[in-house]
Each structure stands twice: as C-alpha cells, then as structure tokens.
C-alpha cells in the first residue's frame, strides 16, 4: 500500500532550509535582534521628528533634546545596519559551508548511486550554486520579523496618530497583499525552472570536458557546442520571465504605493485642517505611509526566499538518494576469500540487467566474466565489491553478507580497479596509497612493481613524489596505477572491471602472473573482453542478456560457437 505523507508534513526542501537555519542559529539570532532594533529605531524616528517639529514651531526649550534624540535615531540604525551586513555575510558563509559539507558527505556516502540519478555537472551546480542560494534562507528568516515589523508597526503608528489614517491605508492593503502573493507564486515557478536548466547545461558541459579528445578527433566541436548551449534559450526565457515578473510587480507597486501614500496624506491634511492632528503629526504620518508601503524590501525578501526554497528542493533531491549502510560484523580470520552470489538480480532504469545469478568463486581462484556489451558484466563487478547492492538476492564473502560488514572491513577486504581509474591525491604516491588505511611506501612500491608501474613512476621527475598534475600518463599507464592501488589495499578479493584493456599483451601477462603470486588478494573477479584474459582465469562465467548462460573453463566453453562469437571469433 502506498503511504501518503500527512498534510502537515514539512516538504524535504524546507527541511533542508530549516537545518541550515538551526546550524546558524547563534549569528542568525544576533542578526534578527539587530534588525529588529534597527526597525524599531526606524519606527520611532518619524514620531520623534514630528514631535521635535512641533516643539520647534512652539519655540519650546525641550526641542533641543528631541533633536538630539532624532540624531541618535538616525545614527544608531546606521551602525546597526553595518553590523547587520557583517552578520548577514557571516551567516550566509556559515550556512553555505554547512550545506556544502552536508551535501558532499552524502554524495560520497551514496557512492555511484548519486551519479546514477544526477549528472556529475548538475551535481556540481547543486553543490556550488544551489547551496549558495539556499544559504540565504537563515539570514532571510532571521530578518523576517523586522521586515514585517516595519510595515505593521507603521500601520499601528498611523492608527495611534489617528484611526482614520490607519483606515485610509488599510482600505488599499488587500491590493498590496494580492500583489505580493502573485509575485511569490510566479517567482517560485520561474526560479525552479531557471535552476534546473542551469543544472542541465552544467551536466552537458561536464560531459563535453570529459570527452574533449573524442570530440576533437571526431571534428564535432560546433555540433557539441550547439548541444551544450541548446538549453540556453530556455534559460534566457526564464531570466526574461523573472525580469517581467519583477517589472510587473514594480509597475503595479509604482501605481498602488503612491495612491496609498497620497490617500494617507490627503486624510492627514483634512485632519490637520480640522485641528485633529498637528504639523508634526502630518510629517510623521507621511513617513509612516512610506514605511507601511515598503514593497521593495518585501519583494526582495520574497525573491530571496523563493530562490532559497527552489534550491533547497534540488538539494533535497540529492539527499533523498539513500546512502550506503554498513553493518558491524567482521570477516572470519584466515578466510580464503570465497565469494558467492545467491539469486542476484539488478534493475537499472526500469530494465532488468541481471536475473537470478547464482555463482560461487572459491577462495584463491580467478573468475573471468564475459559476455556481449549490455549483458550485465560491469553491474556484476559492482555488486561483487558492493559498489552497488542487488535488487534481489545477496552477495556473501566468506559466509558474511557484504551489507553486514563494517565500512573499513569491506574496503580492506575488496579492491577494485577500473578501465578509467580516477587518480586522486596530491602526488602519484598519494594516489596509490589512497584507501581506508595507508599501506606505507614499501607496500605501495611492491604493488606498483606487481602492476608493472614502478619503472615508469621512477622515471618521473620526482618519482613517487611527483605532483599528480605534473605526471602526464597514457591510458595504459593510468590503468597500471589503478591496478597498483587496488593491489596495495585488497586483502581477499580483487575485482577488475576491464582494468587491463589498455595494457599490451606482454604487460598483461606479467600482471596476470603477479595476480597469481605477488598480490595478497588471491580471489579475482575479472571482467574480460579479450579471449586471452579469459583463458588465464581458472573459470569463466558467461553472461547473456543478464542471465548466467554457462560456467566452465575457457577451453571448455570455446567449443561453443556462440561463446567464440562473444570475442568476435568464428
């Protein structure tokens, strides 16, 4: 049965903003207090000016004190406004940092699931731009009371001067309310569309940067540029739409606000002519009419909050991707590294890519996974080392289901190497040592030798201490470094997802010998696209359309024409 959220439930995007507000509570509270004091001083100033004017007209000796008070009420808010600017910047910076850390931690905890649902470029947009927009919420919330207190206090002050003045203003207030509500609704839709198109453009740009060499080789620069910029028209339309919304709101305000102010002044003039108010009251009423119609401040706050809520929803979409959960168990000491897939099934984009796979890789043996493109080889490799979880069935290592293991126990036990490894770290040595534990320079060097990488690394200007950015690598060299990193960390199982495709045949044979004799993890699962790679494995698992079609040695399966066809052989 589908569960429906209660009507009072807070939307996920708003919960993100509330979290940002809570973590910036201290500076936001001081900011709110400072803005309230500034607003209070602003409300007192018209009354003080009016009274001082009456005293000056009457040549009362107390006029000097009231003029001094007016001076203080002018200078005080100026100082408070400077403090508010400082606190506003501090609150926004703190909230931005908190949101970015929270989102980044979650993306890393979710692992490949995050990029399965959101393009990397769009993720960067959410991490950088949307967090900055959402971080404006704490300061906006903190100053909301002062923002509302100004107009409301001004209306109360008009009523204190004369109920007729408040009534004159309130007669047109519903139109002002409708103007603000219309602006908020239209701005919300526009902000959401604008931010989504920004993310789309960023996603396309990231793809193009990653594939820059392919684009250059194909000579499709103009076509790719057009593809990246295709959504720009929609972005422009939403930007112009926002300006039109703001322009219409401004135009209506230009018409409505002066009418309200003129109405208040006209009533005040009548009251003055009848002796019901003083000249000073007239001056105060004119200032309160301006404060009561502070549409510019209100629309600015609304626009900021609208952008923050739209950004909060986009951040919440990423946070909704479940993080990988780990258990508290450890592997039995001395386990051989036996890997079992029991009834494993996986679905991607609504399509089954693995179906009821039952497979055992005995400890200390190697298994080659072969199959045509799209048969599920890489998905099986990801499940074998828990870079993803199966939708059905389970994956077990030495009798322990992978989700039951602690994070560090899992990552020490299983290592991965990929076709295009991401080499992270300041130096080449850092990239090889990257893992839950630093294996030490000797272990890193030994792993590099096993992966046939030690030779070319030592030829770099500073060897293992060469800055990564100063070490241009071929595809094969990058693969060997990826292999070395996996060799240095894995204790029981190595999963190689086409990780030797960039190696020449002699180097691949040397790496194969090292896998059998020089690497701690003796159980290997190898995604194989070459017949020679499959031939070196102890057994082969042949996938066909997501199902395990057959297992056996490469020599046994090679007798089958359909198996030979997987490698393009007749």
């Amino acid at each position: 049965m589908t569960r429906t959220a209660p009507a009072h439930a807070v939307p996920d995007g708003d919960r993100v903003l509330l979290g940002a507000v809570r973590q910036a509570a201290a500076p936001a509270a001081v900011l709110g207090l400072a803005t309230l004091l500034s607003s209070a001083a602003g409300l007192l100033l018209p009354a003080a000016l009016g009274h001082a004017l009456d005293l000056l007209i009457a040549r009362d000796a107390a006029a000097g004190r009231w003029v001094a008070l007016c001076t203080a009420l002018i200078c005080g808010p100026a100082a408070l406004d400077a403090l508010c600017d400082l606190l506003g910047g501090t609150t926004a910076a703190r909230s931005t940092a908190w949101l970015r850390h929270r989102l980044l931690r979650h993306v890393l905890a979710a692992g490949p699931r995050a990029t399965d649902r959101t393009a990397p470029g769009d993720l960067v947009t959410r991490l950088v731009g949307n967090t900055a927009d959402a971080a404006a919420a704490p300061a906006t919330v903190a100053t909301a009371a002062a923002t509302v207190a100004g107009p409301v206090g001004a209306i109360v002050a008009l009523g204190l001067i004369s109920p007729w003045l408040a009534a004159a203003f309130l007669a047109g207030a519903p139109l002002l309310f409708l103007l603000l509500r219309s602006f908020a609704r239209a701005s919300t839709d526009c902000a959401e569309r604008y931010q989504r198109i920004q993310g789309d453009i960023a996603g396309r740009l990231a793809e193009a940067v990653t594939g820059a060499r392919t684009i250059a080789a194909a000579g499709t620069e103009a076509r790719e540029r057009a593809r990246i910029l295709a959504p720009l028209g929609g972005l422009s339309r939403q930007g112009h739409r926002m300006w039109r919304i703001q322009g219409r709101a401004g135009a209506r305000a230009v018409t409505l606000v002066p009418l309200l102010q003129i109405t208040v002044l006209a009533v005040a003039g009548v009251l003055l002519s009848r002796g019901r108010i003083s000249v000073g009251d007239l001056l105060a009423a004119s200032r309160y009419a301006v404060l009561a119609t502070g549409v510019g401040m209100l629309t600015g706050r609304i626009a900021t909050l609208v952008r923050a809520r739209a950004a909060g929803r986009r951040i919440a979409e990423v946070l909704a991707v479940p993080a990988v959960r780990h258990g508290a168990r450890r592997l039995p000491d001395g386990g051989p590294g036996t890997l079992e897939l029991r009834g494993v099934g996986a679905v991607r984009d609504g399509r089954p890519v693995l179906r009821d796979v039952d497979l055992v890789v005995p400890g200390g043996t190697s298994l080659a996974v072969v199959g045509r493109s799209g048969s599920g080889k890489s998905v099986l490799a990801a499940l074998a080392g828990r870079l993803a979880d199966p939708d059905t069935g389970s994956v077990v290592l030495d009798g322990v289901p992978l989700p039951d293991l602690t994070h560090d126990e899992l990552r020490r036990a299983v290592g991965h190497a990929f076709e295009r490894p991401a080499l992270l770290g300041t130096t080449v040595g850092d990239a090889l040592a990257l893992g839950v534990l630093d294996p030490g320079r000797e272990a890193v060097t030994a792993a590099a030798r096993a992966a046939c990488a030690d030779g070319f690394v030592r030829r770099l200007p500073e060897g293992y201490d060469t800055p990564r950015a100063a070490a241009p690598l071929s595809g094969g060299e990058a693969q060997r470094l990826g292999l070395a990193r996996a060799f240095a960390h894995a204790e029981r199982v190595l999963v190689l997802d086409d990780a030797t495709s960039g190696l020449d045949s002699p180097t691949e044979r040397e790496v194969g010998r090292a896998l059998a004799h020089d690497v701690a993890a003796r159980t290997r699962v190898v995604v194989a696209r070459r017949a020679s790679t499959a031939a070196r494995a102890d057994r082969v698992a042949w996938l066909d359309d997501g199902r395990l079609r057959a297992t056996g040695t490469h020599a046994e399966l090679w007798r089958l024409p359909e198996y030979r066809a997987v490698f393009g052989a007749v």
Side-chain angles (χ1 to χ4, degrees), residues 151-244:
V152 172
I155 296 170
V156 171
L158 286 173
L160 292 175
I161 296 171
S162 171
W164 289 104
L165 297 177
F169 181 85
L170 291 174
L175 294 176
L176 193 61
F177 172 76
L178 291 174
L179 169 65
L180 295 173
R181 189 178 69 168
S182 173
F183 174 77
R185 285 182 174 177
S187 298
T188 297
D189 178 67
C190 186
E192 289 179 347
R193 291 172 183 265
Y194 191 90
Q195 290 178 359
R196 291 197 179 279
I197 295 173
Q198 277 185 318
D200 185 18
I201 293 174
R204 296 178 185 217
L205 180 59
E207 291 173 357
V209 170
T210 302
R213 289 189 300 178
T214 301
I215 294 168
T220 57
E221 294 91 342
R223 188 187 310 168
E224 191 62 21
R225 183 167 58 250
R227 184 186 73 87
I228 295 168
L229 298 180
L232 199 59
L235 190 72
S236 175
R237 284 191 295 274
Q238 294 305 320
H240 283 86
R241 182 184 170 201
M242 175 60 78
W243 285 114
R244 286 195 298 272

Side-chain angles (χ1 to χ4, degrees), residues 253-529:
V254 165
T255 303
L256 178 60
V257 169
L259 286 176
L260 288 173
Q261 293 172 355
I262 290 170
T263 301
V264 171
L265 287 175
V267 173
V270 172
L271 294 173
L272 177 64
S273 66
R274 295 181 180 180
R276 304 279 295 276
I277 62 173
S278 66
V279 174
D281 291 336
L282 177 63
L283 173 63
S286 68
R287 296 300 305 155
Y288 284 129
V290 172
L291 291 175
T293 54
V295 177
M297 182 177 292
L298 287 171
T299 54
R301 293 287 189 272
I302 290 172
T304 300
L305 193 57
V306 161
R307 288 194 299 271
R309 292 191 71 196
R313 281 190 283 271
R314 283 173 54 76
I315 293 170
E317 288 173 2
V318 179
L319 295 176
V321 177
V324 178
R325 303 295 180 187
H326 296 277
R329 295 181 62 181
R330 299 180 63 85
L331 292 168
D333 292 336
T338 299
L339 186 69
E340 300 176 64
L341 282 73
R342 302 172 179 173
V344 164
V347 177
R348 296 291 183 271
D349 297 324
R351 181 179 68 87
V353 293
L354 287 178
R355 313 165 196 242
D356 299 321
V357 174
D358 289 298
L359 192 61
V360 177
V361 187
T365 67
S366 60
L367 175 78
V369 182
V370 306
R372 294 183 182 275
S373 178
S375 60
K377 301 186 298 297
S378 290
V379 174
L380 188 148
L383 298 179
R386 212 192 169 206
L387 294 181
D389 286 325
D391 293 287
T392 58
S394 61
V395 182
V396 178
L397 176 60
D398 285 336
V400 183
L402 296 188
D404 292 351
L405 294 173
T406 68
H407 170 271
D408 287 3
E409 182 76 355
L410 173 65
R411 291 302 156 218
R412 277 196 297 266
V414 184
H416 283 264
F418 307 98
E419 179 183 6
R420 298 182 182 88
L423 301 173
L424 309 174
T426 305
T427 66
V428 173
D430 291 339
L432 298 184
L434 184 72
V436 294
L437 290 175
D438 187 343
R441 178 55 65 90
E442 290 186 7
V444 164
T445 304
R449 282 197 296 270
C452 301
D454 181 66
F456 76 79
V457 170
R458 291 188 182 277
R459 288 193 295 272
L460 293 172
E462 299 177 58
Y464 287 87
D465 295 323
T466 302
R468 198 169 44 81
L473 302 172
S474 68
E477 288 171 340
Q479 276 198 343
R480 280 183 270 172
L481 290 180
L483 285 165
R485 181 176 60 195
F487 293 173
H489 291 280
E491 296 178 352
R492 301 199 185 201
V493 178
L494 272 171
V495 181
L496 310 182
D497 187 358
D498 204 21
T500 59
S501 60
L503 308 183
D504 55 57
S505 296
T507 302
E508 187 184 13
R509 284 195 295 273
E510 286 190 42
V511 170
R513 282 195 291 271
L515 280 170
H517 303 290
D518 303 329
V519 176
R522 298 298 176 84
T523 304
R524 287 94 63 202
V525 177
V526 183
V527 173
R529 289 177 171 81

